[in-house]
């Protein structure tokens, strides 16, 4: 969940003071790592889910302020667009029947929120990109009321100095211009958190990077944008383009993008925070009163607010997170590649696959990233986003292999092993990983279901906007059954 800020104008003095504070924070962070001050037994996981709001016709509903007032629960918050909201699910230990309890908690929270939203005329949809979004709706007026979004919008466009051009080539072609960051609001995701020790962090981050492409291929759920059929997970390229602070000249100079896969395997969590500060100018140079050196000298855990705020404006697909809870600092890997939906049980299956696989790979004697180039891991991500389960991805020892073969043959056993290491009950592991296996067998992800359903409706005479609207309404009906997407029919 993002940090609230007040509307503000930034001076050169503000930026200089913030840069100095960032460097001081980084020095304190390094000292905390050297002195082993972090939670020694972290073993907790958590997740956030972003959702869309629609009206009774399945079209965007710009009502998040009213919906949040009706939900009246601090776990829920605004997101970038007025048709977005987000739930932050409390962390827990991943053991025993934790995944079953997590699924039940998420379903109950979403059902309660949806019932209250209906009182305002809106409905919740858990989907990577809302298919009924219209290009004309992407303007600054649909930003959520929270001041941080408007300030962020101003700062990104001040850095760019020009409007944003978005070009996506898929089965169809989209070319559009935007004078605001609102196209980013089309992207709704599930973020999976794993709390890890500093010593284990690099292995977990590297492992998460190595499997990002596989995750996206299995979970693709964003094939339509502004009426066009594009990538199976269009959200990946849309987010990369919609949050880019670079005009073409800086791209050609090799300046790094703010939505960033990264450029190398790491050896320490420090590498990531240090890169963020070295490569990226501050978008929100807001200084707090805390002196992190004095706090640490007095035996108090510093919040490192400036470093954390800056880190939140560098959009890595696997982001490092520093936080202090009850005076104890900890580190998390925040996995950000997955789209929302289609059903809660699908989200839980995606989470189980990630939590299990990332643990096995992170703790392996021969790390997978020593046999795969970093550039290949990034290529896998974009290949998967384009083609979903039809993608061919590189995997060490196998070469280029279809995802639907790679996952059952090589990765599901590793994910099952990892869930056992967490202490997850075998029956739960089998149930959730079985959903992943069935997706591979049937070839039906959320994206594949959407594409096939729209094609069927078009054959029956609906034009594209009407086919997308009807498909969205059917999607919502299936979402509420909580049946996994591989079982969804195309004609019901």
């Amino acid at each position: 969940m993002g940090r609230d800020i007040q509307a503000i104008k930034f001076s050169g003095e503000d930026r200089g003071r913030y840069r100095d504070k960032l460097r001081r924070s980084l020095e304190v962070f390094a000292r905390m790592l050297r002195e082993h001050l972090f939670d020694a037994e972290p073993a907790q996981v958590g997740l956030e889910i972003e959702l869309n709001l629609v009206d009774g016709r399945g079209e965007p509903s710009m009502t998040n302020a009213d919906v949040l007032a009706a939900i009246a629960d601090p776990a829920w918050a605004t997101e970038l667009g007025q048709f977005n909201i987000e739930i932050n699910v409390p962390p827990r230990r991943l053991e025993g029947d934790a995944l079953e309890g997590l699924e039940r908690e998420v379903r109950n929270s979403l059902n309660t929120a949806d019932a209250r939203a209906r009182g305002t005329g809106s409905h919740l949809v858990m989907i990577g990109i809302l298919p009924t979004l219209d290009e004309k709706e992407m303007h600054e007026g649909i930003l959520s009321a929270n001041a941080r979004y408007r300030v962020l919008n101003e700062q990104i466009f001040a850095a760019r100095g020009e409007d944003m051009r978005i070009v996506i080539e898929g089965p169809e072609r989209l070319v559009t211009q935007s004078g605001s960051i609102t196209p980013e609001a089309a992207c709704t995701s599930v973020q999976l958190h794993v709390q890890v020790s500093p010593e284990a962090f690099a292995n977990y981050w590297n492992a998460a990077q190595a499997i990002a492409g596989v995750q996206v291929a299995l979970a693709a759920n964003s094939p339509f944008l502004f009426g066009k059929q594009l990538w199976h997970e269009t959200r990946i390229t849309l987010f990369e383009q919609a949050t880019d602070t670079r005009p073409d000249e800086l791209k050609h100079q090799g300046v790094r993008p703010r939505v960033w896969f990264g450029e190398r395997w790491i050896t320490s969590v420090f590498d990531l925070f240090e890169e963020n500060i070295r490569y990226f100018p501050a978008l929100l140079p807001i200084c707090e009163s805390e002196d992190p050196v004095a706090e640490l000298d007095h035996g108090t855990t510093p919040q490192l607010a400036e470093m954390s705020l800056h880190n939140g404006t560098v959009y890595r697909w696997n982001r490092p997170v520093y936080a202090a809870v009850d005076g104890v600092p900890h580190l998390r890997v925040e996995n950000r590649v997955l789209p929302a939906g289609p059903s809660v049980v699908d989200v839980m299956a995606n989470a189980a696959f990630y939590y299990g696989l990332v643990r096995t790979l992170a703790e392996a004697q021969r790390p997978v990233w020593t046999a795969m180039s970093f550039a290949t891991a990034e290529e896998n991500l974009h290949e998967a986003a384009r083609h979903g389960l039809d993608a061919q991805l590189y995997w060490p020892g196998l070469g280029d292999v279809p995802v639907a073969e790679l996952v059952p043959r090589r990765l599901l056993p590793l994910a099952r092993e990892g869930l056992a290491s967490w202490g997850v009950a075998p029956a739960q592991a089998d149930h959730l990983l079985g959903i992943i296996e069935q997706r591979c067998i049937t070839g039906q992800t959320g994206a594949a279901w959407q594409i096939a359903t729209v094609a069927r409706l078009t054959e029956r005479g609906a034009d594209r906007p009407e086919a997308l609207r009807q498909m969205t309404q059917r999607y919502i009906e299936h979402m509420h059954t909580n049946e996994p997407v591989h079982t969804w029919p195309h004609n019901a």
Side-chain angles (χ1 to χ4, degrees), residues 426-480:
Q428 285 193 34
D430 290 343
H431 169 58
L432 293 173
L433 296 182
I435 290 171
I436 300 295
E437 183 175 32
Q438 286 301 309
R439 269 192 230 151
C440 294
I441 292 170
T442 62
Q444 182 154 294
T445 60
W449 181 88
Q450 291 185 53
I451 292 166
T453 301
V454 166
R456 183 73 57 88
L457 291 166
T458 303
E459 288 169 6
R460 294 176 181 172
D463 63 13
R464 176 60 66 80
E466 179 61 14
L468 290 171
R469 191 189 68 77
Q470 289 186 33
M471 180 271 286
T472 300
Q473 290 186 309
R474 293 176 185 190
Y475 180 103
I476 294 169
E477 292 170 8
H478 290 308
M479 179 189 77
H480 280 297

Side-chain angles (χ1 to χ4, degrees), residues 45-67:
V45 302
L47 77 158
E48 303 167 63
I49 305 174
E50 299 166 353
L51 300 103
N52 291 280
L53 299 172
V54 297
D55 60 20
R57 287 177 47 82
E59 294 173 343
S61 178
M62 306 295 175
T63 56
N64 67 359
D66 294 338
V67 168

